Amino acid sequence: MSDVHHHSVRFLGTDTTLRPVYARSIPTKAFVSARLSYLLSSEEKPYQYAFPPPNGMPWENSHYEWRDVHVADARYHADGISVDREGFELWDAPSALRDFADPDVVTRSYYPELAELACQVTGARHAYVFDHLVRKREAGRGTLDFGRSVKGGSATANGRIHNDYTEQSGMQRLQRVLGEHAAPARHGRYSIVNVWRSISGPVLDTPLAVCDARSIAASDLVPADVHYPRRTGEIYLLRYAPRHGWSYFSRMDRHEALVFKQYDSQASGVARYTPHTAFDLPEVPADAPLRESIEARCLVIYD
């Protein structure tokens, strides 16, 4: 993922083509039973490598436990969900881009769409899209891990419950995106949202689950390092608690975009973190197409 290029936009409130998704047809199941990968307690700070680690170093140093949970199909109540309350919303937001393989084309053509969408969803005035990642479920659908199951390979579905930013790295991202103009006092409230969509038709095998921000306690969140070739980022991993409320949107298709909160500088009254993870649907047909998706991160400024 690149931290160098980003696209910004000032929202003028003139685009009326995008809208939240309301359930037009009730899904057949209100929820599915799924196994999610939670962090076990660790004496040292957890870490993961996003590239082949130095000789003798493991790809990750933590242990995880599989928990059986109910994941509700949010299409049953999509019209009552808010990015500032639960932490996520599904929008009908078709993209003009058909092929997401070329990163430069994505930056040039897709980022402006996302910036406009992020402003509409959050009500922010300015948006800066600063990176993206294309993922594909690997053939054979092996056990989900943190998304780099083949050494040196492309990104796969990430099956570790995580939140992309912590209190510390969320504050640092403002500086990384805006540079010398990043003083929080100058900009007031800001947040970071992730925009996730399928790029290969309806998701039938490995969708994305999001955790209701209201069901998360601060003690559930564990800071962890992610090592990239030129820097180290910090994310939250999640410890298990039975109160966690999980949701997904069944059969997400290319025209839909899931927008969810990853950080908010406002300390109370709004969703601040939305842990999420890929998970395997039960009884996936052997010939179901492999999920392909794109996720992008966007800094939005409200004032």
Side-chain angles (χ1 to χ4, degrees):
M1 294 180 288
S2 171
D3 294 317
V4 178
H5 304 290
H6 63 261
H7 183 91
S8 63
V9 68
R10 182 174 186 270
F11 181 53
L12 301 178
T14 57
D15 189 343
T16 59
T17 62
L18 307 178
R19 57 193 182 278
V21 170
Y22 300 102
R24 289 179 290 276
S25 61
I26 297 298
T28 57
K29 294 183 178 181
F31 65 88
V32 295
S33 297
R35 298 175 69 238
L36 303 188
S37 179
Y38 277 92
L39 177 72
L40 285 171
S41 298
S42 175
E43 294 183 359
E44 60 180 337
K45 186 177 184 180
Y47 70 75
Q48 304 168 353
Y49 275 89
F51 68 101
N55 289 337
M57 295 289 291
W59 279 79
E60 57 184 339
N61 69 335
S62 302
H63 297 284
Y64 298 83
E65 60 176 341
W66 292 100
R67 289 280 187 162
D68 294 322
V69 302
H70 284 176
V71 182
D73 190 338
R75 291 192 189 275
Y76 272 92
H77 50 88
D79 58 342
I81 293 174
S82 165
V83 73
D84 271 340
R85 187 175 59 249
E86 290 85 357
F88 58 92
E89 293 183 27
L90 185 69
W91 278 59
D92 189 349
S95 173
L97 187 62
R98 307 307 298 171
D99 186 350
F100 293 84
D102 187 331
D104 292 333
V105 174
V106 171
T107 300
R108 184 170 62 251
S109 301
Y110 187 52
Y111 280 24
E113 295 177 351
L114 295 181
E116 184 74 12
L117 174 63
C119 285
Q120 284 212 333
V121 175
T122 62
R125 296 290 293 175
H126 301 269
Y128 303 83
V129 184
F130 55 85
D131 72 14
H132 75 275
L133 184 64
V134 173
R135 296 184 183 274
K136 181 176 181 179
R137 189 69 164 109
E138 66 271 35
R141 298 186 180 91
T143 301
L144 290 166
D145 61 9
F146 66 97
R148 297 282 180 176
S149 60
V150 179
K151 292 185 178 180
S154 58
T156 62
N158 189 340
R160 297 284 190 245
I161 303 171
H162 68 286
N163 188 86
D164 293 344
Y165 290 91
T166 65
E167 187 71 61
Q168 177 177 329
S169 61
M171 291 188 292
Q172 292 173 341
R173 177 52 64 176
L174 183 70
Q175 176 70 40
R176 294 184 66 87
V177 173
L178 300 185
E180 62 182 10
H181 304 293
R186 174 174 177 167
H187 295 291
R189 181 188 171 201
Y190 65 96
S191 64
I192 302 168
V193 296
N194 192 323
V195 183
W196 191 96
R197 79 164 69 231
S198 168
I199 59 175
S200 63
V203 176
L204 304 178
D205 61 344
T206 312
L208 192 73
V210 286
C211 192
D212 190 327
R214 300 169 300 175
S215 70
I216 301 298
S219 57
D220 301 336
L221 299 168
V222 180
D225 289 332
V226 180
H227 297 296
Y228 300 100
R230 292 181 297 275
R231 69 178 183 90
T232 296
E234 188 177 67
I235 65 173
Y236 280 135
L237 298 175
L238 193 66
R239 294 191 186 100
Y240 174 75
R243 76 182 105 78
H244 293 162
W246 288 97
S247 296
Y248 84 113
F249 291 90
S250 58
R251 300 179 64 90
M252 271 190 65
D253 210 341
R254 293 175 61 103
H255 65 92
E256 297 176 311
L258 177 60
V259 183
F260 54 99
K261 188 88 66 70
Q262 292 297 275
Y263 175 80
D264 199 312
S265 65
Q266 183 172 316
S268 62
V270 295
R272 301 193 71 205
Y273 309 109
T274 312
H276 55 284
T277 180
F279 74 99
D280 285 321
L281 288 171
E283 302 177 358
V284 175
D287 60 350
L290 298 171
R291 182 259 270 184
E292 294 184 65
S293 61
I294 185 169
E295 59 201 60
R297 294 164 188 84
C298 183
L299 174 76
V300 299
I301 297 175
Y302 294 86
D303 301 323

